[in-house]
């Protein structure tokens, strides 16, 4: 098969202007809100030993069985590109031993899942997420949901639904599997091939099958909490009570189990009308991960940034986002003017003024077109003639008014105009 060398890999995208501005806003907002809650950034490698993922996410999950990019390094060791952020962060915090408790970490970065290409499913996508390390505590789970909702609100998302449920304690698993097995037995013939396999290997995974027929059967099942112990149910009740105290509206989805095996107690997913029923904006929950040499627990969530951007474009508030706006544009006429204007642009930028200049010696008409494209509020016109006269022409792009100033005066004016622009943005 021939590959086009100008195209990115299927399911992976280049990211540049103008969308990059929305991404940068999302990331800046995320970092600001994380600091309010005392979360610090962590950057782990994009590849890990495959076992880091199989041990935590679970051998029989779709992510591990079908979606990981796995390869051998030169020493014959199996590595995988990270399909999500939690496992790598757990590998990192396990190194802290008992001191890991209380760590509050966040991450923003690319993840890789070799999914069948379809709308909303990328092979390289990006997550922003948190992990708060520590023993089970409903208040910590609620704080994580509150933080997630704070980030979403600040980036301008509306119309979200948070669905919450519990995976119960590890000791509940056998009872839940047994209860589901007897409830699903009469429907076995109608399940998809994957789910018939899941019935034997990991019955819980049937609950998040994306096939419509399986989805219909799943809707008729009893809530998983029916098969759990009182302690697990009480934990969920406390989470719901505290969410009420913080006035965070959620919907209990008694069949939400999430597609990763490491969860215990609280799990949640956030939906948005722009994404349809199958795809979530974010997913999270409390987890307990046994890495072999160490076990780590905590609570966290991750949101897909591509999906946040889709949801924002759908919400009215997401429509009017800034793109590459340049407040001041310098237009030159003649070779000498171009060189002098380059010196002027450098002087302005060194004083914190965002300005644009065409260095290719294009026509004045083409340069004015660039200024308009950048929505410049002020254009500096300085040709060889102006250089000889020792003046600078400033053109106000709103009303077309022009003034002639000497160079030092023009610089002062541009610096203060540039500062006002920065304050406004
Ligand atoms: P997840 O539900 O697998 O959870 O992924 C979280 C979010 O990543 C999803 O809700 C979705 O927005 C985005 N996402 C996942 N796969 C894709 C894809 N192929 N294309 C585009 N976006 C995608 C986790 O990853 C857990 N580590 C979350 C977590 C953190 N739980 C506890 N701490």
């Amino acid at each position: 098969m021939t590959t086009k060398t100008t195209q990115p890999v299927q399911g992976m995208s280049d990211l540049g202007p103008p969308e990059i501005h929305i991404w940068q806003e999302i990331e800046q907002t995320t970092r600001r809100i994380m600091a309010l809650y005392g979360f610090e950034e962590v950057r782990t490698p994009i590849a890990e030993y495959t076992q880091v993922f199989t041990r935590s996410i679970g051998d029989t999950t779709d992510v591990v069985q079908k979606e990981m990019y796995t390869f051998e390094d030169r020493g014959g060791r199996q590595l995988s590109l990270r399909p999500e952020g939690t496992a790598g962060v757990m590998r990192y915090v396990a190194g802290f031993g008992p001191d890991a408790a209380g760590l509050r970490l966040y991450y923003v970065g690319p993840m890789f899942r070799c999914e069948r290409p379809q709308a909303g499913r990328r092979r390289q996508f990006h997550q922003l997420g948190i992990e708060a390390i520590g023993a089970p505590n409903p208040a910590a789970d609620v704080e994580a949901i509150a933080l997630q909702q704070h980030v979403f609100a600040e980036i301008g998302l509306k119309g979200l639904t948070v669905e919450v449920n519990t995976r119960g304690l590890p000791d509940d698993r056998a009872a839940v599997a047994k209860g589901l097995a007897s409830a699903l037995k009469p429907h076995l013939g109608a399940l998809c091939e994957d789910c018939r396999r899941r019935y034997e290997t990991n019955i819980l995974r049937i609950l998040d099958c994306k096939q419509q027929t399986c989805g219909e059967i799943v809707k008729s099942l009893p809530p998983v909490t029916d098969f759990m112990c009182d302690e697990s149910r009480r934990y969920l009740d406390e989470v719901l009570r505290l969410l009420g105290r913080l006035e965070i509206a959620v919907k209990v989805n008694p069949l939400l189990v999430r597609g990763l095996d490491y969860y215990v107690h609280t799990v949640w997913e956030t939906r948005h009308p722009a994404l349809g029923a199958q795809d979530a904006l974010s997913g999270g929950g409390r987890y307990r991960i046994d890495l072999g040499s160490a076990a780590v627990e905590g609570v966290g969530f991750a949101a897909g940034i591509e999906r946040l951007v889709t949801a924002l474009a759908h919400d009215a508030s997401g429509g009017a986002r800034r793109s590459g706006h340049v407040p001041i544009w310098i237009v030159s006429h003649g070779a000498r003017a171009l060189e002098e204007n380059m010196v002027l642009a450098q002087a302005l930028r060194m004083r914190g003024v965002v300005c644009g200049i065409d260095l290719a010696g294009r026509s004045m008409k083409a340069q004015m077109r660039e200024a308009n494209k950048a929505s410049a509020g002020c254009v500096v016109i300085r040709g060889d003639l102006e250089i000889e006269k020792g003046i600078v022409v400033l053109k106000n792009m709103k009303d077309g008014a022009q003034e002639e100033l000497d160079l030092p005066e023009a610089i002062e004016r541009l610096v203060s105009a540039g500062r006002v622009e920065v304050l406004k943005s």
Side-chain angles (χ1 to χ4, degrees):
M1 197 168 54
T2 53
T3 46
K4 278 197 187 150
T5 49
T6 52
Q7 296 288 321
V9 172
Q10 188 178 29
M12 305 191 181
S13 302
D14 299 310
L15 188 58
E19 308 95 279
I20 194 73
H21 298 284
I22 302 175
W23 283 65
Q24 288 174 333
E25 266 189 44
I26 292 175
E27 289 174 19
Q28 278 158 14
T29 305
T30 301
R31 290 175 200 286
R32 182 166 56 78
I33 306 299
M34 294 299 170
L36 291 178
Y37 291 74
F39 279 74
E40 293 173 291
E41 187 175 2
V42 61
R43 300 185 190 186
T44 58
I46 60 162
E48 299 276 353
Y49 294 117
T50 302
Q51 272 209 337
V52 170
F53 302 116
T54 50
R55 288 201 72 101
S56 52
I57 297 169
D59 278 338
T60 55
T61 56
D62 278 359
V63 171
V64 164
Q65 285 206 330
K66 301 186 192 166
E67 295 168 7
M68 284 211 298
Y69 284 96
T70 298
F71 53 97
E72 271 185 15
D73 71 3
R74 290 194 177 179
R77 279 162 303 202
Q78 282 230 315
L79 307 186
S80 297
L81 296 184
R82 61 183 187 189
E84 55 102 62
T86 311
V89 175
M90 290 311 111
R91 195 249 328 122
Y92 165 72
V93 302
F96 288 78
D99 292 340
L103 282 176
R104 291 153 81 80
L105 301 168
Y106 77 90
Y107 48 90
V108 180
M111 309 290 160
F112 303 85
R113 294 185 194 179
C114 194
E115 303 231 34
R116 245 185 298 146
Q118 51 186 301
R121 304 270 166 84
R122 313 292 307 155
R123 289 184 170 176
Q124 176 177 330
F125 59 99
H126 298 75
Q127 286 186 341
L128 60 88
I130 66 160
E131 311 299 347
I133 313 306
N137 170 5
D141 303 7
V142 170
E143 189 198 44
I145 298 175
L147 163 52
Q148 173 198 281
Q149 293 302 86
H150 196 160
V151 171
F152 290 169
E154 285 287 315
I155 64 179
L157 283 172
K158 301 193 181 100
L160 303 166
T161 314
V162 183
E163 294 183 1
V164 178
N165 197 25
T166 177
R167 286 285 302 270
L169 284 159
D171 285 350
D172 292 324
R173 283 198 185 153
V176 170
K178 199 164 153 233
L180 286 177
S182 66
L184 278 165
K185 200 160 188 185
H187 305 285
L188 251 181
L191 292 175
C192 72
E193 203 186 312
D194 269 349
C195 282
R196 285 204 293 275
R197 180 179 46 80
R198 289 171 181 142
Y199 188 87
E200 305 298 337
T201 56
N202 191 346
I203 198 159
L204 222 51
R205 296 279 70 84
I206 296 177
L207 270 57
D208 47 37
C209 177
K210 304 280 185 274
Q211 301 286 334
Q212 203 188 343
T213 43
C214 300
E216 292 301 320
I217 294 166
V218 164
K219 272 190 212 149
S220 69
L221 297 175
V224 286
T225 41
D226 281 10
F227 311 115
M228 290 178 188
C229 67
D230 285 347
E231 188 187 336
S232 296
R233 281 200 291 261
R234 272 202 303 273
Y235 192 100
L236 175 63
D237 287 344
E238 183 60 2
V239 167
L240 296 174
R241 190 185 72 76
L242 290 172
L243 283 167
R245 283 299 314 276
L246 296 190
E247 299 182 8
I248 295 171
V250 298
K251 199 174 115 192
V252 177
N253 174 353
L255 293 166
L256 178 74
V257 291
R258 308 259 308 120
L260 312 164
D261 274 350
Y262 48 54
Y263 291 112
V264 292
H265 287 307
T266 319
V267 282
W268 70 91
E269 269 179 11
T270 314
R271 307 204 182 279
H272 186 277
L275 304 177
Q278 297 291 1
D279 282 328
L281 197 62
S282 78
R286 172 159 291 284
Y287 47 81
R288 195 170 289 172
I289 293 178
D290 181 1
L291 289 168
S293 52
V296 193
E297 44 192 325
V299 63
F301 73 87
I305 304 183
E306 284 78 0
R307 294 187 188 176
L308 290 179
V309 172
T310 305
L312 272 174
H314 174 275
D315 289 353
S317 61
R321 302 251 147 190
R322 259 186 315 131
S323 65
H325 167 58
V326 181
I328 291 162
W329 201 272
I330 304 174
V331 169
S332 320
H333 183 57
R336 186 170 158 220
L338 179 55
E339 188 176 318
E340 292 303 321
N341 284 341
M342 207 182 140
V343 176
L344 171 62
Q346 186 68 10
L348 289 173
R349 288 168 178 160
M350 293 296 281
R351 293 186 64 180
V353 176
V354 180
C355 63
I357 179 170
D358 171 64
L359 298 174
R362 288 192 294 171
S363 72
M364 284 188 68
K365 205 166 145 199
Q367 294 180 60
M368 288 304 285
R369 243 196 331 266
E370 283 298 309
N372 275 320
K373 220 165 82 189
S375 319
C378 174
V379 169
V380 180
I381 303 169
R382 200 170 167 229
D384 287 352
L385 204 68
E386 283 78 17
I387 302 275
E388 242 153 63
K389 287 206 244 165
I391 57 156
V392 171
V393 177
L394 297 190
K395 180 173 179 174
N396 182 327
M397 295 296 276
K398 273 205 197 95
D399 56 14
Q402 295 201 10
E403 301 181 69
E404 289 185 1
L405 301 175
D406 64 26
L407 184 62
E409 218 181 335
I411 291 181
E412 285 320 307
R413 183 79 69 80
L414 292 168
V415 168
S416 54
R419 290 233 175 87
V420 173
E421 279 277 353
V422 171
L423 288 178
K424 270 197 300 192
S425 60

